[in-house]
Amino acid sequence: MAGADVDVGTELRLGLPGGGAEAAKTTKRGYEDTIDLKLTLPTGGSMKEDAASKPEQAAEKAKSDPEKPPAPKAQAVGWPPVRSYRRNAMTVQSVKIKKEEETEKQQPVAAAATACGNGSAFVKVSMDGAPYLRKVDLKMYNTYKDLSIALQKMFSTFTATGNEGKMVEAVNGSDVVTTYEDKDGDWMLVGDVPWEMFVASCKRLRIMKSSEAIGLAPRAKDKYKTKS
Amino acid sequence: MRDAADDSDSPPSHMSEDSDGSGAGAGGDTWAPDLRGANGGNNGRWAPPDQVLENVLESVLEFLTAARDRNAASLVCRSWYAAEAQTRRELFIGNCYAVSPARAVQRFAGVRAVVLKGKPRFADFSLVPNGWGARVSPWVDALGPAYPRLQRICLKRMTVSDDELALIPRSFPLFRELSLVCCDGFTTRGLAVIAEGCRHLRVLDLTEDYFHEETEVVDWISKFPECNTSLESLVFDCVSVPFNFEALEALVARSPALRRLRVNDHVSIEQLRRLMARAPHLTHLGTGSFRSEPGSSGASSVSDLATSFAAAAKSLVCLSGFLDVNAEYLPAIYPVCANLTSLNFSFASLTSEELIPVINHCVNLRVFWVLDTVGDEGLRAVAETCSDLRELRVFPLDATEDSEGSVSDVGLQAISEGCRKLESILYFCQRMTNVAVIAMSENCPDLVVFRLCIMGRHRPDRVTAEPMDEGFGAIVKNCKKLTRLSVSGLLTDKAFAYIGKYGKLIKTLSVAFAGNSDMSLQHVFEGCTKLQKLEVRDSPFGDKGLLSGMNYFYNMRFFWMNSCRLTVKGCGDVAQQMPNLVVEVMKDHPDDEGEVDTVDKLYLYRSLAGPRTDAPEFVNIL
């Protein structure tokens, strides 16, 4: 797996997204910790929002951002002439394809990160027991914490109320963990790799019962048990 | 008028059963008009010969459906104008600002279907600022009272709110068909009102609309009537929010007339199979994600899915979707491929190795949309297999200028050699040669639409490093039926000289990053006598080029020009001299102090309605 070639000093562990370095603190209660932070949540993962409500945002960003120095050959707005609708629908796909192409190259992480340079990185999020999928744009977040807040908000209707900090599966109250499918098709725990690498390699997210996470990280499950 | 009646040998074979009761035949030299009304045969009402003729006319004009024919008929004389106005059933408004709603409904009394187009096409590419206009509200307000029997509404590039959608079931009790293409402004709330209120709905087609993610997604699918519905077509692949699948399955089960179903990417393979089982007579199917639900325990096998498709093979002719395709499942569609006339893979990032086996089965394909990941080899397979192909669209997976691009002149040449009946092509690439384009012009004389997009700006022939003038010149010269052309690559004024000289049937022309001087525009205006729609961007054309079109603007629907070298003065001159033209200019940065005189965007269009009153701040109507 090319993606695993980069040594980031990680180890498999169970727990909610909290970033590599903060692994020690990362537990289910990660949500509780973050709840107190007054984070402005991004507006959520609607690809249509990008295309729909403000089609000129792309124009403004491309042309009128004073902070950004003009690129030697600035991307022209709306060129090539592909409808915004199609552009957004294809963004997720192109991230996937680029990952496959980069497997042969030598700098998978760096290349993967730059490959996401354009637009958004929409991935589907499914939660076991929830009747339907949602989507999130990973590029809207900078850290695992941000993502975990957004996910919790998104699926809050399916969780038990009263205890805001814990993400609890509605039916039988067992705890859940977040996993993702990477470009190689493997299911990994969220939170193990640096954020950028995660964004580059994540194809979809799945929030599952912690009991089902056995196959992923046997060692981590033991850790999880001691924390309950 | 009486002469026309005299010429007929016998009374018309059918007369309109109008309430005025006139049933008399046409007069002639050898027999007198049978004014049965005078004899008391029709409630004692006497129909004067003019009235008779009008009924004749109206009956005959019922057969005219094409707008162009009707427009011509309406110009013959006043009575023809009146008769045509009474009998026009479909109202086509190519530019919603070209005429006021009041005027349109006043002229046409018996309209059953309305087609409205709003924003200029470059809005699709984020070139028209948000809030520009094309709101449907003034139209809905006028259509409601005027056409209570309205059955069909089709909107393209318009802004439609949920409240405006709610007006439809209220105003039109017989409403049957709603089609929204590239529209925005509505949510599932609006869809719910349509589903619930339009009891006779046959068609609900939502195509490439921009959907706002809502805080509260409404379960609109559940709102369709409980009894059997008359639904024939349900297309909602662009409504990319979750929905109630069980409700959809039940809806499909109770819609015996359903022939077209295109679902969104929240539908898995397993769910797709359930839908297909409920609707065995589908002709058009949009497959949703074409992937198994992650972690689902009852994942379908490829052969299970193939069984579903085999059952559909007799009726299915059009396949699309594949919005998040798992290539392993592709072989499942082999049973239907031979019957397919239309296949849309343009949202499926599949390699040529994955696509070629499918293509090899599609011997009867007429329409093929695909991503450029198909590669030149994949296009070769298309050329070898799909000899009946009429329309090809190759979209870029990576729509940026510096992308690799996976198809080239090689693919284009192969297609031209294998698909001689080609009528329409849209081709995105990074490498092209004049030779290949010339070959296509010679091999595919039936081309009506030729849209070639060489994504790198100003890119020349990859072999000779020359401009692409000769290639496009050959297209306009050899393809004598060409009505729509989009050009790209490095182009000089010469290319436009060719276009003006040979492009006599061209109605729509799109130009980007092309030409040397205003002569290009002049060639086009003077030569393309049928030109209706001209869109230009980022080309070195200025006021002189604009003014060379003065004599032609009234013949056109619109002219769009952005990021060229126009000034406010030049545009103002045009506005001044042409009272029935609306000249809108926009600046990209309204607060820009310097360069007050330049025009970033120009949109001019003929109009009977005068300057519109709903223009936002950033639009300056000269």
Side-chain angles (χ1 to χ4, degrees):
Chain A
M1 265 185 3
D5 287 343
V6 180
D7 176 17
V8 290
T10 57
E11 55 177 8
L12 285 179
R13 78 187 73 74
L14 198 70
L16 296 163
E22 301 150 24
K25 292 192 295 193
T26 304
T27 67
K28 314 191 300 300
R29 298 188 205 322
Y31 280 114
E32 260 177 354
D33 290 339
T34 54
I35 279 300
D36 290 332
L37 297 174
K38 290 197 174 36
L39 292 170
T40 347
L41 284 172
T43 43
S46 166
M47 63 170 64
K48 294 301 165 274
E49 217 176 73
D50 283 341
S53 46
K54 315 270 179 278
E56 89 286 9
Q57 270 181 0
E60 288 171 5
K61 277 184 197 145
K63 287 183 153 187
S64 66
D65 189 342
E67 257 79 59
K68 236 186 278 186
K73 191 179 180 192
Q75 293 272 356
V77 174
W79 186 262
V82 170
R83 277 191 188 150
S84 327
Y85 171 85
R86 182 173 287 279
R87 263 185 209 278
N88 289 327
M90 291 321 304
T91 303
V92 181
Q93 311 273 14
S94 70
V95 168
K96 275 198 285 187
I97 286 280
K98 279 208 155 80
K99 296 316 137 290
E100 285 154 31
E101 282 173 2
E102 299 297 351
T103 321
E104 280 112 61
K105 294 188 185 165
Q106 277 169 4
Q107 297 284 334
V109 175
T114 53
C116 299
N118 281 332
S120 36
F122 283 99
V123 298
K124 286 189 187 165
V125 188
S126 64
M127 176 167 172
D128 289 2
Y132 47 70
L133 303 183
R134 302 306 298 266
K135 277 185 189 158
V136 288
D137 177 0
L138 295 178
K139 304 218 88 168
M140 302 285 274
Y141 313 107
N142 294 318
T143 63
Y144 284 114
K145 267 189 207 160
D146 296 342
L147 176 63
S148 76
I149 291 176
L151 287 177
Q152 210 232 350
K153 229 184 198 281
M154 203 175 275
F155 287 98
S156 60
T157 46
F158 309 123
T159 61
T161 55
N163 188 353
E164 282 189 17
K166 280 190 186 186
M167 190 88 151
V168 175
E169 204 250 328
V171 174
N172 56 17
S174 64
D175 295 319
V176 295
V177 295
T178 310
T179 63
Y180 72 100
E181 183 184 3
D182 73 357
K183 58 178 169 57
D184 301 318
D186 298 326
W187 285 90
M188 320 266 283
L189 287 171
V190 169
D192 288 350
V193 302
W195 174 255
E196 287 76 21
M197 192 172 162
F198 165 70
V199 172
S201 58
C202 171
K203 288 202 302 189
R204 67 184 70 241
L205 288 163
R206 182 178 161 206
I207 302 171
M208 60 170 75
K209 291 187 232 175
S210 58
S211 51
E212 283 189 25
I214 290 176
L216 291 176
R219 214 160 34 103
K221 180 152 196 309
D222 293 338
K223 270 194 193 166
Y224 168 84
K225 270 196 172 142
T226 60
K227 287 182 172 109
S228 328
Chain B
M1 293 185 291
R2 207 162 290 196
D3 293 336
D6 290 343
D7 282 341
S8 60
D9 292 326
S10 58
S13 54
H14 76 274
M15 297 291 292
S16 60
E17 300 291 304
D18 280 347
S19 51
D20 60 25
S22 55
D29 281 338
T30 49
W31 54 261
D34 176 16
L35 301 171
R36 271 176 284 159
N39 298 333
N42 272 319
N43 304 324
R45 289 163 75 192
W46 176 73
D50 287 359
Q51 181 71 59
V52 164
L53 180 62
E54 198 165 305
N55 296 334
V56 172
L57 261 178
E58 287 183 11
S59 304
V60 172
L61 288 177
E62 297 267 357
F63 290 102
L64 277 186
T65 48
R68 208 175 321 137
D69 295 336
R70 289 194 148 265
N71 293 346
S74 71
L75 293 174
V76 169
C77 61
R78 259 193 220 131
S79 75
W80 280 54
Y81 178 95
E84 193 283 312
Q86 287 296 113
T87 55
R88 188 178 292 222
R89 295 284 170 251
E90 177 179 300
L91 184 60
F92 175 85
I93 309 278
N95 174 3
C96 63
Y97 289 120
V99 64
S100 73
R103 184 166 177 159
V105 309
Q106 194 187 27
R107 174 171 169 185
F108 300 106
V111 163
R112 300 268 189 274
V114 174
V115 179
L116 269 177
K117 296 189 179 180
K119 298 178 202 164
R121 193 179 75 98
F122 274 12
D124 292 346
F125 317 127
S126 311
L127 288 171
V128 175
N130 202 44
W132 174 82
R135 299 207 43 221
V136 80
S137 39
W139 285 92
V140 171
D141 292 342
L143 294 173
Y147 304 131
R149 306 173 72 84
L150 194 70
Q151 295 174 351
R152 179 160 66 92
I153 291 179
C154 176
L155 304 177
K156 186 166 186 180
R157 290 194 197 94
M158 298 202 68
T159 299
V160 190
S161 72
D162 290 334
D163 291 334
E164 281 144 14
L165 284 180
L167 283 177
I168 290 178
R170 243 185 282 158
S171 313
F172 313 118
L174 301 176
F175 196 72
R176 288 202 210 160
E177 296 187 23
L178 179 63
S179 171
L180 301 177
V181 181
C182 298
C183 294
D184 65 284
F186 60 97
T187 70
T188 49
R189 188 168 70 84
L191 297 180
V193 178
I194 295 286
E196 191 168 14
C198 301
R199 314 297 287 180
H200 304 287
L201 197 66
R202 297 191 188 181
V203 171
L204 180 56
D205 284 354
L206 307 166
T207 308
E208 298 202 17
D209 302 303
Y210 298 101
F211 226 71
H212 299 260
E213 167 98 349
E214 309 136 59
T215 47
E216 189 75 42
V217 176
V218 173
D219 182 6
W220 58 284
I221 302 257
S222 305
K223 300 287 192 290
F224 281 94
E226 294 279 323
C227 54
N228 276 5
T229 75
S230 355
L231 270 183
E232 296 169 10
S233 174
L234 181 60
V235 172
F236 65 96
D237 43 357
C238 65
V239 183
S240 187
V241 290
F243 67 93
N244 182 340
F245 177 78
E246 277 67 35
L248 177 66
E249 191 178 4
L251 174 66
V252 169
R254 64 178 191 277
S255 302
L258 194 68
R259 296 292 174 267
R260 297 204 309 257
L261 178 65
R262 296 195 175 126
V263 298
N264 69 20
D265 56 348
H266 289 262
V267 172
S268 67
I269 293 243
E270 292 74 28
Q271 291 171 323
L272 177 66
R273 292 191 60 213
R274 285 159 64 179
L275 293 174
M276 289 174 76
R278 299 287 191 177
H281 303 297
L282 285 179
T283 56
H284 296 61
L285 176 64
T287 63
S289 70
F290 216 70
R291 165 180 292 275
S292 252
E293 242 352 286
S296 67
S297 46
S300 285
S301 69
V302 180
S303 54
D304 289 340
L305 186 60
T307 311
S308 301
F309 275 97
K314 261 191 270 204
S315 52
L316 210 56
V317 292
C318 174
L319 204 53
S320 61
F322 308 100
L323 302 171
D324 191 13
V325 64
N326 178 348
E328 286 175 24
Y329 283 106
L330 276 183
I333 70 172
Y334 291 167
V336 299
C337 285
N339 279 341
L340 282 184
T341 55
S342 172
L343 180 55
N344 182 352
F345 273 140
S346 67
F347 291 99
S349 52
L350 296 164
T351 64
S352 57
E353 288 81 36
E354 289 161 344
L355 282 166
I356 289 176
V358 179
I359 293 169
N360 286 339
H361 283 79
C362 298
V363 289
N364 285 314
L365 214 55
R366 293 197 161 203
V367 175
F368 188 46
W369 291 22
V370 71
L371 287 177
D372 63 355
T373 51
V374 69
D376 288 330
E377 324 82 66
L379 291 179
R380 212 188 299 274
V382 173
E384 284 164 14
T385 312
C386 311
S387 54
D388 217 16
L389 197 71
R390 308 297 163 108
E391 178 178 322
L392 175 68
R393 295 198 193 189
V394 182
F395 294 95
L397 173 68
D398 182 1
T400 58
E401 275 185 78
D402 324 310
S403 66
E404 258 308 296
S406 314
V407 296
S408 73
D409 50 285
V410 173
L412 191 75
Q413 176 110 21
I415 291 287
S416 79
E417 288 162 5
C419 307
R420 301 288 175 125
K421 300 188 195 168
L422 201 65
E423 295 169 0
S424 171
I425 183 164
L426 169 63
Y427 199 83
F428 284 85
C429 62
Q430 288 286 30
R431 296 173 298 283
M432 188 47 59
T433 62
N434 282 302
V435 164
V437 178
I438 294 171
M440 175 152 277
S441 77
E442 290 167 353
N443 293 334
C444 305
D446 291 338
L447 275 176
V448 174
V449 174
F450 185 78
R451 296 158 70 189
L452 176 61
C453 180
I454 303 168
M455 294 192 278
R457 288 178 263 174
H458 306 118
R459 205 164 274 200
D461 183 313
R462 78 165 169 91
V463 169
T464 66
E466 281 175 1
M468 294 298 300
D469 298 340
E470 296 307 314
F472 285 103
I475 289 285
V476 289
K477 187 167 173 210
N478 297 333
C479 302
K480 306 210 179 354
K481 306 181 189 174
L482 197 75
T483 60
R484 183 167 179 188
L485 179 65
S486 295
V487 300
S488 61
L490 180 64
L491 293 169
T492 71
D493 290 344
K494 197 162 174 220
F496 295 95
Y498 285 136
I499 292 173
K501 183 169 179 193
Y502 296 110
K504 295 305 175 190
L505 293 184
I506 292 181
K507 292 200 284 192
T508 308
L509 180 63
S510 296
V511 178
F513 306 101
N516 303 123
S517 75
D518 289 316
M519 278 312 297
S520 288
L521 274 188
Q522 193 170 332
H523 288 311
V524 169
F525 284 129
E526 288 175 359
C528 301
T529 45
K530 289 267 170 54
L531 191 65
Q532 301 226 322
K533 304 183 246 179
L534 179 58
E535 334 170 290
V536 177
R537 64 168 294 176
D538 292 281
S539 298
F541 308 144
D543 296 338
K544 184 157 174 284
L546 174 67
L547 291 170
S548 67
M550 202 94 87
N551 294 337
Y552 309 97
F553 291 143
Y554 280 158
N555 294 336
M556 295 168 58
R557 188 187 295 175
F558 72 79
F559 177 31
W560 167 281
M561 211 158 140
N562 75 275
S563 314
C564 298
R565 296 178 186 172
L566 296 172
T567 68
V568 175
K569 181 177 182 313
C571 299
D573 286 346
V574 174
Q576 207 182 19
Q577 297 188 41
M578 312 202 69
N580 283 334
L581 213 59
V582 174
V583 179
E584 300 190 9
V585 298
M586 296 171 252
K587 281 194 83 62
D588 289 334
H589 315 295
D591 309 322
D592 208 344
E593 286 299 326
E595 304 194 71
V596 171
D597 199 40
T598 56
V599 163
D600 292 323
K601 301 180 210 276
L602 163 72
Y603 182 50
L604 64 78
Y605 50 91
R606 67 183 170 198
S607 173
L608 298 172
R612 58 190 175 109
T613 50
D614 65 350
E617 257 185 354
F618 55 82
V619 171
N620 182 11
I621 301 185
L622 300 177

